[in-house]
Amino acid sequence: MKRKLRKTPFILLGFFLLLWLVGISLGEPTRVLEQAKSICLECIGIG
Amino acid sequence: MQTIRKLVQAVWIFLINGFWGFPITGNLYQGPLKIICSPGLNCYSCPAATTYCPIGSLQQLLLSVRFSLQTGHYYIGTFVLGSMGLLGASFGRFICGWACPFGLIQELLHKIPSKKYSIPPLLNRCKYGVLLVFVVVLPLLVVDQFGLGKPWFCKYICPAGTLEAGIPMVFLIPDLRTTIGFIYLNKICILTGVIIWSVLASRPFCRTMCPLGAFYALFNRVSLIKLDLDKEACTNCKACHKVCPVEIRFNETPGSGECINCMKCMTDACDFEAIFVNVAGYRLARTGKSRPVSARQS
């Protein structure tokens, strides 16, 4: 069976890494952390 | 291999639910680890959760996207989507088979002796609709007068959230009991339905409803690490069909989005080393197999 390096996963990883870095540069992790630290009553079906 | 997988699943449960101080603090974990994306579906409102749920966070960002933009913030979900994409592009649905707490719960429920049923393949497509409609479209488009939407999937469907957060939080914070209403009871009914269905069928939620599974399924064919088929070695003996917990015919559809990469077909069925782990195009050396006698005789 021939072996050949698959490039698609690396392209996808690069793309999503870029998205991730854009999110960080926009300060999104702070917002995500704020949300995750508090109980989301709506999320658990209350409120 | 399946014992190792169970151990890995158990380790993941404790890694992403590692805060056991909640009975003392009376609250959920609020430390810095919550900036890390949970690979599997695990509610961040679970009192023991140490990571954030990508589906919950994505909805929260999308439902408030108008408000964010109006206030000069560009919280449009790129960080969460990037995290999800990095996981998906690396592992595909290996995460479903090896790291999802709710997947393990369903697997354990399915071990309860009962008559077992298959799931019509058409229902497998519903999870893509759930991802698109309940996680993206409705939170983004159905908004109130303040421009805020709702986390539709979490609020009206997610049985993982009900099990991991809804029920424990009501016990942990007695004041919440007075606020229980129709939505909560509806979610309890959905959870009960999923529990009963999990006893009767293998991983029904993962296969028909899970939006995170649907997202990872998009990567299954192209992920860095994937389960692959050596067509030259395959004899079409169909042994892989018989052991698959999600009822796919691996040798006919390698890279199927439905495959949770549990590797049961590779280790417990295939005698011809036709199924293997493909890492970026290279075959990962096989470490041996533990094929049950029943599969060998059939």
Side-chain angles (χ1 to χ4, degrees):
Chain A
M1 193 187 176
K2 63 178 179 183
R3 288 177 182 179
K4 192 182 169 189
L5 183 75
R6 289 188 289 121
K7 290 174 188 158
T8 320
F10 294 102
I11 295 167
L12 285 170
L13 283 170
F15 172 73
F16 285 108
L17 184 65
L18 191 69
L19 266 188
W20 189 73
L21 291 171
V22 167
I24 290 175
S25 70
L26 294 173
E28 208 174 275
T30 318
R31 180 79 190 107
V32 171
L33 195 59
E34 273 172 24
Q35 290 165 352
K37 275 181 176 178
S38 52
I39 305 165
C40 174
L41 293 177
E42 237 187 345
C43 298
I44 59 175
I46 299 170
Chain B
M1 182 60 86
Q2 292 309 303
T3 310
I4 294 170
R5 191 171 70 90
K6 285 280 179 292
L7 282 171
V8 172
Q9 286 174 304
V11 167
W12 271 108
I13 277 199
F14 286 104
L15 275 178
I16 55 182
N17 291 294
F19 179 66
W20 290 95
F22 67 85
I24 300 160
T25 62
N27 208 340
L28 39 75
Y29 171 74
Q30 297 184 316
L33 286 175
K34 274 213 163 158
I35 204 67
I36 299 169
C37 179
S38 164
L41 198 72
N42 194 75
C43 186
Y44 59 61
S45 290
C46 168
T50 49
T51 53
Y52 76 83
C53 173
I55 293 296
S57 290
L58 187 63
Q59 283 172 96
Q60 288 292 344
L61 291 167
L62 293 178
L63 69 86
S64 60
V65 75
R66 287 176 180 78
F67 182 76
S68 295
L69 293 173
Q70 280 166 8
T71 53
H73 299 292
Y74 296 93
Y75 303 148
I76 52 172
T78 48
F79 174 71
V80 178
L81 195 62
S83 304
M84 289 165 71
L86 285 171
L87 287 165
S90 301
F91 306 107
R93 290 196 81 181
F94 267 101
I95 293 163
C96 303
W98 291 74
C100 182
F102 203 61
L104 176 62
I105 290 165
Q106 288 171 83
E107 282 183 16
L108 296 176
L109 285 167
H110 194 59
K111 286 187 185 296
I112 296 172
S114 75
K115 192 176 179 186
K116 304 298 177 191
Y117 296 88
S118 62
I119 294 175
L122 199 64
L123 287 181
N124 293 341
R125 295 182 190 174
C126 293
K127 61 180 172 293
Y128 300 101
V130 172
L131 172 65
L132 188 69
V133 176
F134 285 86
V135 177
V136 181
V137 175
L138 291 175
L140 203 57
L141 298 184
V142 182
V143 293
D144 59 18
Q145 67 267 36
F146 306 108
L148 293 170
K150 288 176 187 170
W152 284 76
F153 175 73
C154 296
K155 185 167 182 172
Y156 297 108
I157 300 177
C158 188
T162 312
L163 183 69
E164 296 162 1
I167 295 171
M169 276 306 181
V170 162
F171 278 101
L172 202 63
I173 306 170
D175 290 349
L176 289 179
R177 288 173 206 167
T178 56
T179 60
I180 287 175
F182 171 75
I183 295 170
Y184 187 83
L185 296 175
N186 171 59
K187 284 194 72 179
I188 292 285
C189 288
I190 291 175
L191 173 64
T192 309
V194 168
I195 288 172
I196 295 167
W197 200 8
S198 299
V199 175
L200 302 174
S202 175
R203 279 183 173 246
F205 176 76
C206 308
R207 293 161 69 184
T208 63
M209 280 187 268
C210 182
L212 193 55
F215 181 80
Y216 291 146
L218 302 174
F219 298 91
N220 235 14
R221 201 176 292 276
V222 293
S223 56
L224 187 69
I225 302 170
K226 66 173 193 170
L227 213 54
D228 211 346
L229 179 78
D230 181 349
K231 285 180 182 165
E232 290 164 17
C234 179
T235 60
N236 199 24
C237 69
K238 298 184 173 64
C240 53
H241 301 190
K242 291 168 190 159
V243 297
C244 183
V246 289
E247 299 171 77
I248 60 162
R249 299 172 174 182
F250 187 84
N251 71 323
E252 291 170 14
T253 55
S256 161
E258 302 310 316
C259 176
I260 57 164
N261 297 312
C262 67
M263 292 163 56
K264 210 169 181 178
C265 53
M266 184 181 111
T267 57
D268 293 5
C270 187
D271 255 345
F272 307 97
E273 305 205 347
I275 302 169
F276 63 98
V277 177
N278 181 324
V279 183
Y282 293 90
R283 184 178 182 139
L284 198 71
R286 211 170 143 178
T287 54
K289 57 186 174 182
S290 55
R291 196 171 168 221
V293 176
S294 55
R296 210 174 290 141
Q297 285 169 340
S298 55

